[in-house]
Amino acid sequence: MTIYDISKKAGVSIATVSRVLNGSDKVRPATRKKVMDIIEKYDYTPNAFARGMGLRSLQTIGILCADSSDLFLAKAVFYLEQELQANGYESLLCCTGYNLDIKKSYLDLILSKKVDGIILVGSNFIGTSEDENQYIKDISSQVPIMLLNAAFDYPNVYSTLCDDYTSMYEITTSMMESGIKDILYLYNSNSYSGLKKLSGFKAAMEKQNIPDYEKRILFYDGDPQQMDDVAAYIDRFAKKKPSFHGVIASEDQLAIGAMKYARGRGLRVPEDLSVIGYNNSMLTTCCTPELTSVDNRLETQTHQLVATLLGVLAGEEMPKKSIFSGKLVKRGTTLF
Amino acid sequence: MTIYDISKKAGVSIATVSRVLNGSDKVRPATRKKVMDIIEKYDYTPNAFARGMGLRSLQTIGILCADSSDLFLAKAVFYLEQELQANGYESLLCCTGYNLDIKKSYLDLILSKKVDGIILVGSNFIGTSEDENQYIKDISSQVPIMLLNAAFDYPNVYSTLCDDYTSMYEITTSMMESGIKDILYLYNSNSYSGLKKLSGFKAAMEKQNIPDYEKRILFYDGDPQQMDDVAAYIDRFAKKKPSFHGVIASEDQLAIGAMKYARGRGLRVPEDLSVIGYNNSMLTTCCTPELTSVDNRLETQTHQLVATLLGVLAGEEMPKKSIFSGKLVKRGTTLF
DNA sequence: TTGTACGCGTTATCAT
DNA sequence: ATGATAACGCGTACAA
């Protein structure tokens, strides 16, 4: 069934069928009904490829993320897909892994599929050097690039993120005000967001003139899903480095690892060790006591991101950068 | 840049350019090089829509799942996307939710985008009645339908799954052999897989002639991510119904809820209460003690599913049903 | 080995 | 309001 077949059976031209299909108001109700009847009778659906060719678009957005099974990224992808779906767009998902070169090549690939826009999910797509981000500049001329949880200032690149710096500054300060000044900062990513969090922690420490706080900054280089490895890593650190009575982690998974460490040492949480995670994932309610964590308003972010994208595609001028503040969700691993 | 521009600049016809592009061997090396140089010089990429029209395919597979942020489904989607990507296919992701009518409409939608095949991720796409599954029959004539973690016998429908019935039968039997006969079975889904698990449990119970075991079968109707609600639900059950010293859950999340229940009651796990989960998700290592669970070999399943799909698309005859046995991963919540 | 010409199914631009 | 027709860019018989 093609538009020609329909037009013939309905006794009109293909132009009229096309008008009916695309809801043009310049068609007589009687004609519309006649055409619609035939369309429904033969269960006709326009050919997507031909349609894409005419419209230069298949109403598709490319979603790139390093690992869609990651707790945080999976939720982001889910929200994004829902929002896009609700607005008539399909989602082309592409999991790139964390290697930069592979990311680049996938970006080219997805671009060749003629997507209307590209969403880069997670701050690991943005590096610190101009050089690392060149690949984004290269493609931004072709389609709008949306960044979730990262920021990069460049034409046709739009950023939506949570103010991780301030969140981290505030929770660090809160913990110090509760009396715990020797805080271990545990992180595992030097992504855009990862570095923002780290500087938030540092700023809070310096504000309170905590000496040698850098010695309590610990980078974990393994798989964060291996909680036991995280725990063992902290344990090794604890054996020779300065003591600590609080842990702030850049991710809930790492915080869970810290709780495992505490349990292994016979330390009570939160009495002997306070712990704060980040992302407010479902893990926070899986452990005992439940984990205090930072909610980075992912759903708000994804909603705003898609709204911005739709605006851009409609030719409107949209904000280049949308920042939301995070929110501390207090549970059982902290005293305050 | 179109194929015409390239052909003109290279001094050949578009047919030759097309041949070079598609790796035909019927083109002289010198000509190939000449064309390739121009292509690279102008960074030419064929228009995907026009290409799709000619080939009647855009090398795209539709992946449908109820909720891509679900721990299990997210991992499945991730593995699938990786496998497809590695074989030159893109993934069109579509999250449908659990409502049947919505699933149907999304299926039509994704079909209209001319995907080469459709993967239904998760057993919730298959109902018990013929009527519920009619929508699958309707579309199976158009593209191959791949089922992950479910089975349905129909032309052009291929199933890949784990033998949940046997897994559940075996772990139930194991727990009984360890001395625990009063086992609470906790589940939250009547999907294909959910019912298989349930009958595995029942069969094991009947085999050992356990009286009144049905009274210890508990259906939880809420959000499984709310561990506290699960715990409270079990607690209410425990107050008036027969006692139990073991819990087998159809999902890790429910098992975590059971552990929360135990902690609330002051019961020791596993001394006072044994617990087994299902899916072997990352949650198993987040709790204390770590959760014994069933690994349903998701990666093996996804690998096989994609292999089967590729075979079908290549016109080969492939197995209609691939079943893998599960594997019990013993951790700290069981005595055996 | 290479080129010509047509088909693919739409949308868009003109006339009418 | 409706129709005829020209793009759109590529793949591919078929011809050379």
Side-chain angles (χ1 to χ4, degrees):
Chain A
M1 270 299 149
T2 76
I3 200 171
Y4 289 96
D5 300 326
I6 300 295
S7 75
K8 228 171 271 174
K9 290 187 194 297
V12 297
S13 76
I14 61 162
T16 301
V17 178
S18 181
R19 287 190 191 98
V20 170
L21 243 28
N22 298 300
S24 162
D25 47 352
K26 309 209 168 194
V27 52
R28 226 185 328 153
T31 314
R32 157 164 284 120
K33 174 157 174 32
K34 189 171 56 180
V35 175
M36 281 303 287
D37 286 347
I38 301 289
I39 287 177
E40 275 165 29
K41 179 176 172 191
Y42 292 93
D43 203 25
Y44 162 74
T45 317
N47 180 290
F49 301 138
R51 194 147 207 269
M53 218 164 132
L55 294 172
R56 304 176 132 61
S57 154
L58 241 173
Q59 298 281 96
T60 304
I61 303 295
I63 298 182
L64 268 74
C65 81
D67 175 1
S68 71
S69 74
D70 173 272
L71 223 41
F72 177 74
L73 299 178
K75 235 179 173 49
V77 168
F78 175 69
Y79 286 137
L80 287 171
E81 198 277 341
Q82 297 279 88
E83 289 278 348
L84 290 170
Q85 187 78 253
N87 289 285
Y89 282 86
E90 300 277 320
S91 300
L92 209 49
L93 176 66
C94 191
C95 304
T96 62
Y98 292 93
N99 177 287
L100 184 62
D101 286 331
I102 297 181
K103 282 184 201 162
K104 287 184 195 173
S105 66
Y106 279 135
L107 208 47
D108 284 338
L109 190 82
I110 212 164
L111 205 56
S112 75
K113 300 284 176 171
K114 296 287 175 196
V115 293
D116 299 308
I118 289 180
I119 303 176
L120 302 180
V121 184
S123 66
N124 55 72
F125 281 94
I126 299 295
T128 39
S129 71
E130 281 298 295
D131 208 43
E132 287 175 88
N133 299 326
Q134 183 60 43
Y135 75 111
I136 294 182
K137 298 181 184 176
D138 291 342
I139 57 160
S140 62
S141 57
Q142 306 189 44
V143 291
I145 309 293
M146 312 301 296
L147 264 34
L148 182 67
N149 211 29
F152 184 58
D153 186 23
Y154 200 76
N156 216 21
V157 178
Y158 298 82
S159 310
T160 310
L161 61 160
C162 176
D163 188 354
D164 294 321
Y165 172 90
T166 302
S167 295
M168 204 47 102
Y169 180 91
E170 288 178 355
I171 63 173
T172 305
T173 303
S174 294
M175 195 181 267
M176 285 195 282
E177 282 170 352
S178 83
I180 299 170
K181 311 254 177 183
D182 50 347
I183 304 173
L184 174 67
Y185 185 79
L186 187 59
Y187 72 116
N188 72 331
S189 165
N190 285 309
S191 66
Y192 177 91
S193 156
L195 294 176
K196 285 287 180 194
K197 292 176 197 168
L198 180 57
S199 28
F201 173 79
K202 285 182 177 175
M205 283 287 157
E206 275 166 15
K207 172 84 175 177
Q208 303 241 356
N209 292 313
I210 307 295
D212 286 341
Y213 68 86
E214 298 96 340
K215 292 189 178 165
R216 294 196 185 80
I217 294 178
L218 187 57
F219 182 81
Y220 173 72
D221 198 18
D223 179 359
Q225 299 217 4
Q226 301 301 321
M227 320 293 171
D228 281 332
D229 291 351
V230 178
Y233 188 66
I234 300 174
D235 201 74
R236 282 198 299 279
F237 172 86
K239 274 183 182 140
K240 39 186 177 177
K241 290 291 168 53
S243 66
F244 53 90
H245 291 85
V247 173
I248 294 179
S250 67
E251 257 195 42
D252 286 338
Q253 293 168 18
L254 296 176
I256 302 276
M259 290 176 71
K260 291 220 145 192
Y261 149 79
R263 192 173 302 270
R265 284 255 181 151
L267 299 171
R268 292 165 304 165
V269 174
E271 294 83 353
D272 303 326
L273 185 72
S274 290
V275 181
I276 303 182
Y278 210 98
N279 283 353
N280 197 34
S281 67
M282 65 176 293
L283 297 186
T284 58
T285 57
C286 284
C287 52
T288 310
E290 297 194 345
L291 181 64
T292 297
S293 186
V294 175
D295 178 3
N296 41 18
R297 302 185 198 276
L298 188 53
E299 197 162 5
T300 307
Q301 282 191 57
T302 54
H303 182 81
Q304 175 62 34
L305 185 149
V306 172
T308 306
L309 175 56
L310 294 174
V312 171
L313 292 175
E316 298 165 24
E317 186 180 328
M318 300 301 289
K320 296 274 294 173
K321 196 169 176 179
S322 307
I323 305 185
F324 300 98
S325 59
K327 180 177 65 177
L328 181 67
V329 181
K330 295 178 188 176
R331 294 198 182 85
T333 58
T334 44
L335 292 167
F336 54 93
Chain B
M1 269 298 150
T2 76
I3 200 171
Y4 291 96
D5 300 326
I6 299 296
S7 75
K8 227 172 272 173
K9 290 188 195 294
V12 297
S13 76
I14 61 159
T16 301
V17 177
S18 180
R19 288 189 192 100
V20 170
L21 242 29
N22 297 301
S24 161
D25 47 353
K26 309 210 169 195
V27 52
R28 225 183 330 150
T31 313
R32 158 164 283 118
K33 171 152 177 37
K34 190 170 57 180
V35 174
M36 281 303 287
D37 286 348
I38 301 289
I39 287 177
E40 275 166 29
K41 179 175 171 188
Y42 291 93
D43 204 23
Y44 162 74
T45 318
N47 180 292
F49 302 138
R51 195 146 206 269
M53 215 161 138
L55 295 172
R56 305 179 128 60
S57 154
L58 241 173
Q59 298 282 95
T60 304
I61 303 296
I63 298 182
L64 268 73
C65 81
D67 175 1
S68 70
S69 74
D70 173 272
L71 223 41
F72 178 74
L73 299 178
K75 235 179 172 48
V77 169
F78 175 69
Y79 286 137
L80 287 171
E81 198 278 339
Q82 297 280 88
E83 288 279 350
L84 291 171
Q85 187 76 252
N87 288 285
Y89 282 87
E90 301 277 320
S91 302
L92 210 50
L93 176 67
C94 191
C95 305
T96 61
Y98 292 94
N99 178 285
L100 185 62
D101 286 332
I102 297 182
K103 281 183 202 163
K104 286 183 195 173
S105 67
Y106 279 135
L107 209 45
D108 284 338
L109 189 82
I110 212 163
L111 206 55
S112 75
K113 301 283 176 172
K114 297 288 177 193
V115 293
D116 300 308
I118 289 181
I119 303 176
L120 303 180
V121 184
S123 66
N124 55 72
F125 282 94
I126 300 295
T128 39
S129 72
E130 282 298 296
D131 208 43
E132 287 174 271
N133 300 326
Q134 184 60 43
Y135 75 112
I136 294 182
K137 298 181 184 177
D138 291 341
I139 58 160
S140 63
S141 58
Q142 306 188 45
V143 292
I145 308 293
M146 313 301 296
L147 265 34
L148 182 66
N149 212 27
F152 184 59
D153 187 23
Y154 200 76
N156 216 21
V157 177
Y158 298 82
S159 310
T160 309
L161 61 158
C162 176
D163 188 354
D164 293 321
Y165 172 89
T166 302
S167 295
M168 203 49 101
Y169 181 90
E170 289 179 354
I171 64 174
T172 305
T173 303
S174 294
M175 194 181 268
M176 285 195 282
E177 283 171 353
S178 82
I180 299 170
K181 309 253 177 185
D182 50 347
I183 303 174
L184 173 68
Y185 185 79
L186 186 60
Y187 72 118
N188 72 330
S189 165
N190 285 309
S191 66
Y192 176 91
S193 155
L195 294 177
K196 285 287 180 193
K197 291 177 198 168
L198 180 58
S199 25
F201 173 80
K202 285 182 176 174
M205 284 286 157
E206 274 165 18
K207 171 84 175 179
Q208 304 241 354
N209 293 314
I210 308 294
D212 285 341
Y213 70 84
E214 298 94 342
K215 294 190 177 164
R216 293 195 184 84
I217 294 178
L218 186 57
F219 183 81
Y220 173 72
D221 199 19
D223 179 0
Q225 298 218 3
Q226 301 300 321
M227 320 292 171
D228 282 331
D229 292 350
V230 178
Y233 187 66
I234 299 173
D235 201 74
R236 282 199 299 280
F237 172 85
K239 275 184 182 136
K240 40 188 176 177
K241 290 292 168 51
S243 66
F244 53 90
H245 291 84
V247 174
I248 293 180
S250 67
E251 257 194 43
D252 286 337
Q253 293 167 19
L254 296 175
I256 301 276
M259 290 176 70
K260 291 218 147 195
Y261 149 78
R263 192 174 302 270
R265 284 255 180 151
L267 299 172
R268 291 165 304 164
V269 174
E271 294 83 354
D272 303 326
L273 185 72
S274 289
V275 181
I276 303 184
Y278 210 98
N279 283 353
N280 196 33
S281 68
M282 65 176 293
L283 296 186
T284 57
T285 57
C286 283
C287 53
T288 310
E290 298 194 344
L291 181 64
T292 297
S293 187
V294 175
D295 177 4
N296 42 17
R297 301 184 199 275
L298 187 53
E299 196 162 4
T300 307
Q301 282 192 57
T302 54
H303 183 81
Q304 176 62 34
L305 186 149
V306 173
T308 306
L309 175 56
L310 294 174
V312 171
L313 291 176
E316 299 165 23
E317 186 180 327
M318 301 300 290
K320 296 275 295 172
K321 195 170 177 179
S322 306
I323 305 184
F324 300 98
S325 59
K327 181 178 65 177
L328 180 67
V329 181
K330 295 177 187 175
R331 294 199 182 83
T333 57
T334 44
L335 291 167
F336 54 92

